[in-house]
Amino acid sequence: MSQAEAKPAPKSFARRDHIRDIEKSVQAKWDEIRVNDVSCDPSREKFMVTFPYPYMNGRLHLGHAFSMTKAEFTARFQRLQGKNVLFPFGFHCTGMPIQAAANKLKEEMATYGCPPVFPQDVLEKDEPEEEKSAEATLAAKSKGKKTKLIVKGQSSNKPMRQWDILAKMVPLEEIPEFADPLKWLNYFPPLGVADLKAFGSAIDWRRSFITTSVNPVYDAFIRWQFNLLHRGERIRSGFRPNVYSVKDKQVCADHDRSSGEGVGPQEYTLVKLLIIAPYPANSPLHHPALAGKNVYLAPATLRPETMYGQTNCFVLPEGEYGAFEWKNGDILIMSERSAVGLAHQDYAVEWGKTICHVKMTGADLLGLPLKAPNAPYEVVYTLPLTTISMTKGTGVVTSVPSDAPDDFVALRELKDKPLWREKFGLTAEMVEPFEVVPIIEIPGYGDKCAVTMCERLDIKSPKDTIKLKEAKDEVYLKGFYEGIMLVGECAGMKVCDAKPIVRKALIDRGEAIPYFEPESMVIGRSGDECVVALTDQWYLSYGDEQWRSLISAHVHSENFNTYNAGVLEAFDKAIDWLKEWACSREFGLGTQLPWESKWVIDSLSDSTIYMALYTISHAFFGGEATNLDGQSPAPCGINPEDLRDEIFDYIFLHKPLPASFSTPIATATLDDLRREFEYWYPMDLRVSAKDLIPNHLTMCLYNHSEIWKDQPQMWPRGMYCNGHIMVDAEKMSKSKGNFLMLLECVEEFTADATRFALADAGDTLEDANFDRSVANQAITYLFNEEEWIRQVLGDVEKGVMRDGEEALCFMDRAFNNEMDHLIEATLSDFNRMNFRDGIHRAWFDMIIVRDFYRDWSIRCNIPMHKTVTLRFIEALTVMMAPITPHWCEMVWELMGRTGTVCDARWPAFQACDKNIRKEYIFFRDFLKNFRLGSIKLKVASPKCAYVYLASTYEPMKVEVLQYMQTQCDANGKFAATFVKDMKPWIESQPHLKPATKVLMQFAAFMRDEAEERGADALATVLPINQRAILEENKAYLMAALELAEVSFHDVDGEGEVPGDKKKSAQAAPSKPSFSLYSANK
């Protein structure tokens, strides 16, 4: 049986344990010879690959491993090309997550004891996921798709306690120590090192370190970076809207969040609808604190240009609202949630604090008369809308039924159902006089596009939510880009041009104010829902036109490789979207801003050029990742206190030391460090999951271009991104039992089998799939192949194999040629980082070819050829070394090779001989087709066969082939419209037209053949001798097909042939036909 068809490993763990023993032995060897320690060597081409350091608030899981393998496989592959390869690895501790987790644990112990006794509480059921407005959807397109993130522990409506999280990772008696954030820095990074070593990672551990000010070397490096950015005026200060954690009292960036990564501020216009006095007798608005003040309903809208069409205002009858006072004296009625946000945007009497004079429900507001800015009606009324979400906007919605399908349907229902409106105490005068007001003309939709769409989609009720969303998205997008204003000061202008003008006029007249919210819900690491705050902030000026153009030009240049068109497209979107970025915090772990120490640099901003530090970090951290915090003496003898900006300028920017500058560091030492940096940089490849494109990876490009603004040759040369990993076709989830930790996979499947399954999982931007059955099968593959290799090497030692160039037969030559083809194809796949395709060629296809060769040897009782077979073993071993390095190291030693397989060279190959390959494929396919075709044929044994061969096509098909030769490229590729274009050509030939159907089928078949085998498949005369191939291998054919006799007949030249005439007529070039008969008849 082919290993490609092998059954899953049995429940016995002997095979797995055997491979684990190999891995441990090999890792001990690698440690002893320091196999991954590398230094600059100007005589060799270098290759530097990096991976974003994982965050150290826990152990590494399969998601980390999947993305990391792309760097790991590439590092090992490039080393096989003879390059000097550097793959360093660090551990990220900067920012809020660790600090917030430590604080949360401290609070739990203070509240519930140590060990804590938690109440049996359950979270309220989450509200349905909010729908994005069409405008929000449009804005989000610039950032690309985001994988949906769920707040940890809340999917089951149970609160996730920090104590419980830690209890799954650390001994119970140690948990209280994690209330100190420094405990996390000392505990988890060494475990990350151990897990990656067990995985067989090709990392130079001497260069590893942790981040934050705990590490004086890293701290000095980041201060240098930010001083340069500051001097270059890339860092500025001012009030800017940022997503903000009220609980933590600081900006909440992507890496500070439990959910909502990639969500930014969205700007609304908060329109002030004055409530006309006198108020109803029992209204909460009679509260003394409101006396003599203007009281407004405060809807937030993304479409201020449509205020000309207001007919009413909606509230949620059961919604909870408050009357909030602001520093200008206005009273705005809105949800408490939105008031908290507004209080952080410079409207509050005391920044961040709300003043709520009275609370009320939406029912208390129904029927109130309002004066709405720009509305055509002097008075509009407050009406009920039961689909309002209190988690978006202010809970108040202004109604424009001409252009908002939801508003139109809700107003129509209140008009058509008197009993419905009477339920809320509304009179006819509050509803019936208000007609839809045309304000925007849209080609194809008229001047009341909401009405048009509701009629087209047959929307009957506000409950038709799916249709309403479709209608809303379509009319907004059409209206914004194609609509023409019919009313107001911007009449005749496009909506997209009129919007900012109308908005500014409303704000200037005091009838509206700007208001920000997160685009969608963001939960901070401390567990609170974030708002948008205007904060006095240091920010990086990403999006500056000159800077942005520089980055855009680089990613599109020949000096940058994204390996995938989708990645390049994602970078284009990110570069267009990314703007000013708040880069400092007042709370959390990290490096302080050099010029204002109350600020701590955020976790995304301190991780943009640290890859440069890897080039010299071995001189500071050294050892086997035992000095991650840099607290021990540096191997180079430099005291971190002496790492001033001038030192880093000398090393990284090739600047001379100032004449007045004094340092105890020897110039020779600095020159060594400079040589290391200038040898290794730039990094040739950065590998990451796709969700870092909109932030970290794009920021990395921006920062490199500024720090090395005079040396573009130091900018990153390539970035590869992949999708996320699923397990057994399902999202990884602890509740499903498929959330796999890295060490757990190594222990359950072995490191090499895990790596095998990860290589097989996929390489695109789509989510990949780690199939546990593949990992189990890989154990069997590796175990069985080792047994066969040991057997072959035994036969070599016994001298029972054939040898010598003169002994090569067709199958030897074909096997060698197929290896040439697969070695070259795998090289191409691995160069393009297509590891799934590569492993299928390097393992499965190689094994299939070998199995065919081995089957021939056994059935014909002809020993395999020694040189050919040993070539196969070595080629398989070296090509698989990036994927299954431990197993390959073991085979390398079995073969008696010296050194390590890590330093082997890619297998030598010649250009594949196309004729030999055609002969091989012909022979292989003949066997396959014979077996399939004879399954249902009932012929008594002993069976015999007539095989019918054709070397030329009938004249009509020759003409088709000659035409097809003019329509494809050298690789046999046709235009997408080929089949469609082919039919008119056939029908234009009178002698071909009657056979159009047959010839079209033939052309489609030959197109597929050409695209698979190349343009040679379209040859009108077969370039191979079919009969000679079959005659040479007749003995094998008879044995493999269980035939007593077989004869071959050329239907082109023999005239009358024996056997079934219908079968003989079916023969075509490269497609023999056959008939069976019994020798006893």
Side-chain angles (χ1 to χ4, degrees):
M1 179 189 296
S2 166
Q3 285 200 23
E5 301 169 347
K7 295 180 179 179
K11 291 185 178 180
S12 167
F13 298 121
R15 295 178 175 181
R16 182 197 68 186
D17 294 345
H18 171 69
I19 295 173
R20 282 293 291 133
D21 288 342
I22 291 171
E23 291 170 352
K24 293 172 184 177
S25 174
V26 167
Q27 287 168 13
K29 170 186 174 179
W30 288 343
D31 287 344
E32 182 180 353
I33 65 174
R34 313 285 297 182
V35 71
N36 296 314
D37 292 2
V38 292
S39 297
C40 74
D41 181 354
S43 68
R44 297 174 62 193
E45 181 181 357
K46 66 89 182 180
F47 188 90
M48 181 181 179
V49 55
T50 66
F51 177 77
Y53 36 31
Y55 200 79
M56 284 291 99
N57 57 348
R59 297 194 74 154
L60 301 177
H61 55 68
L62 192 68
H64 293 120
F66 172 63
S67 294
M68 190 276 287
T69 56
K70 307 304 181 184
E72 162 74 8
F73 296 160
T74 301
R76 290 186 176 276
F77 167 71
Q78 292 292 343
R79 189 166 175 173
L80 296 175
Q81 308 311 307
K83 296 177 184 177
N84 193 17
V85 177
L86 173 59
F87 180 25
F89 203 95
F91 300 94
H92 204 192
C93 305
T94 303
M96 275 296 299
I98 289 175
Q99 183 73 66
N103 290 351
K104 188 175 180 183
L105 178 65
K106 189 183 300 182
E107 291 174 8
E108 289 174 359
M109 293 190 295
T111 305
Y112 303 110
C114 182
V117 179
F118 296 115
Q120 298 298 312
D121 50 358
V122 177
L123 294 178
E124 293 182 12
K125 186 175 181 181
D126 295 339
E127 289 208 13
E129 184 180 359
E130 58 194 72
E131 289 185 356
K132 288 185 176 179
S133 68
E135 180 163 318
T137 301
L138 183 68
K141 286 181 179 179
S142 67
K143 293 186 282 184
K145 288 187 176 181
K146 294 291 296 179
T147 299
K148 182 181 176 184
L149 298 174
I150 300 173
V151 181
K152 289 182 179 178
Q154 293 188 7
S155 58
S156 59
N157 288 332
K158 293 182 180 179
M160 179 59 76
R161 310 291 188 183
Q162 189 62 53
W163 181 283
D164 295 334
I165 294 172
L166 285 167
K168 297 176 182 179
M169 297 188 288
V170 305
L172 290 176
E173 63 272 15
E174 288 191 53
I175 292 179
E177 299 175 32
F178 286 83
D180 178 359
L182 296 183
K183 173 68 175 180
W184 300 68
L185 275 61
N186 295 325
Y187 188 85
F188 285 114
L191 293 178
V193 172
D195 292 351
L196 289 168
K197 283 187 174 182
F199 192 54
S201 306
I203 293 167
D204 184 347
W205 290 112
R206 302 171 304 151
R207 301 173 187 266
S208 297
F209 52 78
I210 63 171
T211 67
T212 78
S213 58
V214 168
N215 183 336
V217 178
Y218 192 81
D219 192 57
F221 179 81
I222 298 302
R223 289 200 310 271
W224 167 73
Q225 173 193 352
F226 269 70
N227 278 330
L228 284 176
L229 293 170
H230 192 216
R231 287 198 295 270
E233 298 185 349
R234 297 302 189 185
I235 298 180
R236 303 166 189 167
S237 65
F239 283 89
R240 295 292 186 276
N242 292 288
V243 177
Y244 183 88
S245 168
V246 177
K247 185 172 183 179
D248 294 331
K249 295 182 174 56
Q250 67 175 358
V251 171
C252 185
D254 278 3
H255 285 185
D256 303 327
R257 303 173 186 178
S258 289
S259 68
E261 187 175 349
V263 173
Q266 185 167 48
E267 187 171 18
Y268 291 78
T269 303
L270 198 152
V271 183
K272 296 155 65 173
L273 278 62
L274 179 67
I275 303 176
I276 301 173
Y279 308 138
N282 296 323
S283 173
L285 300 179
H286 288 292
H287 191 281
L290 308 186
K293 297 180 179 177
N294 290 330
V295 182
Y296 301 90
L297 286 183
T301 180
L302 293 167
R303 303 204 58 189
E305 76 282 4
T306 66
M307 294 302 97
Y308 296 105
Q310 293 176 92
T311 59
N312 59 278
C313 182
F314 288 122
V315 295
L316 182 68
E318 66 272 23
E320 296 181 356
Y321 298 85
F324 296 89
E325 183 168 356
W326 305 98
K327 66 181 180 182
N328 66 352
D330 285 347
I331 305 294
L332 302 182
I333 294 176
M334 59 204 308
S335 66
E336 182 176 8
R337 172 192 156 279
S338 59
V340 171
L342 195 62
H344 288 84
Q345 296 170 30
D346 202 31
Y347 296 108
V349 174
E350 180 182 353
W351 192 88
K353 304 292 184 182
T354 60
I355 300 174
C356 181
H357 291 304
V358 60
K359 292 185 178 181
M360 62 202 75
T361 65
D364 295 321
L365 302 170
L366 295 176
L368 289 176
L370 309 168
K371 181 173 178 55
N374 286 355
Y377 298 100
E378 285 294 324
V379 177
V380 298
Y381 292 90
T382 310
L383 305 180
L385 182 61
T386 59
T387 57
I388 290 176
S389 169
M390 299 299 287
T391 64
K392 191 74 174 174
T394 62
V396 181
V397 178
T398 189
S399 173
V400 184
S402 60
D403 288 76
D406 292 279
D407 298 349
F408 169 71
V409 171
L411 181 62
R412 183 180 64 184
E413 185 174 57
L414 287 166
K415 285 188 174 189
D416 294 345
K417 297 180 179 179
L419 294 178
W420 174 246
R421 66 179 182 242
E422 288 172 11
K423 174 183 175 181
F424 297 102
L426 303 175
T427 65
E429 291 74 18
M430 298 174 180
V431 178
E432 291 182 352
F434 298 92
E435 299 298 331
V436 176
V437 180
I439 59 171
I440 296 172
E441 176 76 30
I442 305 175
Y445 296 82
D447 58 8
K448 302 174 186 175
C449 62
V451 179
T452 301
M453 284 303 299
C454 288
E455 290 174 351
R456 285 182 185 176
L457 298 178
D458 194 26
I459 299 172
K460 303 293 188 185
S461 155
K463 295 179 181 179
D464 293 337
T465 54
I466 296 176
K467 289 183 179 180
L468 278 168
K469 185 176 187 309
E470 179 184 350
K472 178 170 59 177
D473 290 349
E474 185 169 337
V475 298
Y476 174 75
L477 295 174
K478 290 286 185 181
F480 187 76
Y481 290 112
E482 300 177 23
I484 302 295
M485 297 293 298
L486 300 176
V487 297
E489 60 185 301
C490 295
M493 293 176 63
K494 279 192 171 184
V495 169
C496 55
D497 297 325
K499 176 179 176 176
I501 298 173
V502 175
R503 181 175 190 267
K504 183 177 184 299
L506 285 168
I507 293 172
D508 289 347
R509 293 197 303 265
E511 295 172 338
I513 58 175
Y515 167 65
F516 292 89
E517 279 193 1
E519 295 164 313
S520 58
M521 186 177 290
V522 175
I523 303 296
R525 293 283 181 179
S526 296
D528 62 322
E529 181 184 351
C530 294
V531 299
V532 170
L534 281 175
T535 57
D536 188 8
Q537 179 63 253
W538 289 100
Y539 62 90
L540 280 152
S541 57
Y542 301 134
D544 174 85
E545 182 57 31
Q546 177 271 336
W547 206 6
R548 187 199 65 78
S549 299
L550 204 63
I551 302 307
S552 181
H554 179 63
V555 299
H556 282 273
S557 75
E558 61 182 17
N559 298 319
F560 189 76
N561 186 2
T562 60
Y563 296 86
N564 182 312
V567 174
L568 181 58
E569 182 181 349
F571 269 115
D572 284 337
K573 291 177 180 178
I575 292 167
D576 285 341
W577 166 78
L578 185 62
K579 297 295 187 291
E580 296 169 343
W581 181 268
C583 60
S584 56
R585 307 286 180 268
E586 293 183 282
F587 173 58
L589 304 176
T591 295
Q592 295 174 323
L593 271 181
W595 58 90
E596 194 171 0
S597 60
K598 76 170 186 175
W599 297 102
V600 176
I601 298 168
D602 83 292
S603 61
L604 276 166
S605 300
D606 88 333
S607 56
T608 55
I609 67 160
Y610 71 90
M611 314 88 189
L613 184 58
Y614 280 139
T615 64
I616 65 169
S617 58
H618 63 300
F620 293 95
F621 305 106
E624 275 290 294
T626 54
N627 182 30
L628 295 173
D629 59 6
Q631 296 292 331
S632 298
C636 66
I638 295 177
N639 188 327
E641 293 179 359
D642 296 324
L643 290 173
R644 295 164 59 186
D645 286 0
E646 291 84 354
I647 298 297
F648 288 123
D649 286 345
Y650 186 91
I651 296 170
F652 294 114
L653 303 182
H654 207 94
K655 289 185 176 181
L657 293 175
S660 60
F661 182 76
S662 176
T663 178
I665 306 173
T667 303
T669 300
L670 294 179
D671 288 340
D672 287 344
L673 297 178
R674 176 190 277 180
R675 272 192 295 272
E676 286 278 346
F677 168 71
E678 293 181 350
Y679 173 75
W680 290 114
Y681 234 57
M683 59 178 170
D684 300 275
L685 175 65
R686 181 96 170 141
V687 170
S688 165
K690 62 184 177 182
D691 52 357
L692 293 189
I693 296 174
N695 45 59
H696 164 71
L697 294 179
T698 303
M699 293 175 182
C700 173
L701 292 170
Y702 267 108
N703 280 264
H704 274 82
S705 73
E706 175 61 22
I707 301 300
W708 289 279
K709 57 187 174 185
D710 299 323
Q711 297 174 278
Q713 70 273 17
M714 291 299 182
W715 301 356
R717 289 178 177 170
M719 290 183 176
Y720 173 96
C721 297
N722 51 263
H724 299 103
I725 190 73
M726 297 188 294
V727 174
D728 297 334
E730 290 188 320
K731 182 179 178 180
M732 278 211 306
S733 166
K734 291 176 182 176
S735 63
K736 293 178 181 178
N738 70 344
F739 193 92
L740 303 179
M741 306 307 290
L742 175 56
L743 186 61
E744 175 188 3
C745 291
V746 170
E747 292 174 343
E748 182 174 353
F749 305 115
T750 76
D752 279 355
T754 299
R755 295 166 66 106
F756 191 108
L758 286 170
D760 189 59
D763 300 304
T764 69
L765 285 175
E766 300 301 317
D767 288 349
N769 181 44
F770 178 83
D771 190 331
R772 283 183 279 198
S773 68
V774 171
N776 275 318
Q777 289 167 355
I779 296 172
T780 302
Y781 299 157
L782 297 173
F783 185 89
N784 289 349
E785 196 62 21
E786 179 192 348
E787 282 194 331
W788 180 79
I789 289 171
R790 287 183 181 275
Q791 176 188 331
V792 168
L793 295 178
D795 289 345
V796 169
E797 196 170 319
K798 296 173 186 174
V800 298
M801 302 184 79
R802 289 182 297 121
D803 201 4
E805 188 67 28
E806 68 282 354
L808 289 175
C809 64
F810 168 78
M811 286 299 287
D812 299 322
R813 294 192 302 274
F815 187 18
N816 250 336
N817 195 62
E818 282 303 292
M819 283 193 279
D820 285 330
H821 167 69
L822 292 172
I823 292 168
E824 183 177 18
T826 305
L827 178 67
S828 174
D829 288 332
F830 282 4
N831 263 321
R832 290 178 289 117
M833 296 184 69
N834 290 343
F835 296 109
R836 188 175 192 274
D837 292 344
I839 197 175
H840 278 253
R841 297 182 194 276
W843 184 269
F844 294 112
D845 290 353
M846 284 282 285
I847 295 295
I848 288 171
V849 172
R850 189 279 316 276
D851 285 350
F852 188 25
Y853 180 68
R854 180 173 59 179
D855 186 64
W856 164 82
S857 170
I858 293 170
R859 291 184 185 276
C860 295
N861 196 27
I862 301 174
M864 293 185 292
H865 194 281
K866 172 184 170 182
T867 304
V868 174
T869 308
L870 289 178
R871 183 191 183 209
F872 164 81
I873 295 173
E874 182 164 343
L876 180 76
T877 301
V878 175
M879 288 195 295
M880 287 299 295
I883 314 297
T884 56
H886 306 91
W887 184 86
C888 294
E889 187 72 57
M890 176 271 300
V891 175
W892 187 256
E893 292 177 357
L894 284 180
M895 296 181 70
R897 300 294 190 266
T898 58
T900 169
V901 74
C902 304
D903 290 324
R905 291 294 173 266
W906 192 257
F909 63 90
Q910 297 178 347
C912 178
D913 188 313
K914 292 184 177 181
N915 282 332
I916 293 178
R917 186 146 207 269
K918 288 172 186 174
E919 292 172 349
Y920 172 80
I921 291 172
F922 162 74
F923 184 49
R924 179 197 67 191
D925 290 352
F926 171 74
L927 285 164
K928 176 183 175 182
N929 294 333
F930 192 104
R931 288 190 180 103
L932 292 173
S934 61
I935 290 175
K936 295 181 179 180
L937 299 179
K938 296 182 180 179
V939 177
S941 296
K943 296 178 183 178
C944 302
Y946 298 119
V947 175
Y948 308 112
L949 306 169
S951 299
T952 58
Y953 294 97
E954 54 192 282
M956 286 193 298
K957 291 181 178 178
V958 169
E959 288 190 55
V960 169
L961 288 172
Q962 290 171 337
Y963 174 76
M964 292 179 69
Q965 290 168 6
T966 68
Q967 301 300 305
C968 70
D969 63 21
N971 297 316
K973 304 299 180 185
F974 288 86
T977 59
F978 166 71
V979 173
K980 179 182 176 182
D981 298 337
M982 183 81 190
K983 188 174 182 181
W985 179 82
I986 293 175
E987 291 179 339
S988 69
Q989 315 292 319
H991 62 294
L992 300 181
K993 185 173 182 179
T996 297
K997 182 176 180 180
V998 172
L999 295 178
M1000 284 295 293
Q1001 291 173 342
F1002 173 72
F1005 173 78
M1006 294 307 297
R1007 174 203 59 190
D1008 295 342
E1009 288 285 295
E1011 292 192 342
E1012 180 181 349
R1013 293 163 42 202
D1016 288 348
L1018 303 176
T1020 56
V1021 178
L1022 200 62
I1024 62 173
N1025 189 330
Q1026 302 168 99
R1027 186 165 193 154
I1029 296 167
L1030 297 179
E1031 290 282 9
E1032 182 178 349
N1033 293 283
K1034 181 175 180 179
Y1036 177 55
L1037 289 175
M1038 292 173 63
L1041 302 177
E1042 298 179 346
L1043 298 173
E1045 183 55 60
V1046 61
S1047 57
F1048 310 107
H1049 305 277
D1050 190 342
V1051 298
D1052 295 331
E1054 287 189 15
E1056 190 72 20
V1057 295
D1060 190 324
K1061 299 298 183 283
K1062 289 184 178 179
K1063 292 289 185 181
S1064 65
Q1066 294 172 2
S1070 290
K1071 302 293 179 184
S1073 59
F1074 67 91
S1075 64
L1076 292 178
Y1077 64 95
S1078 174
N1080 293 332
K1081 292 185 180 180

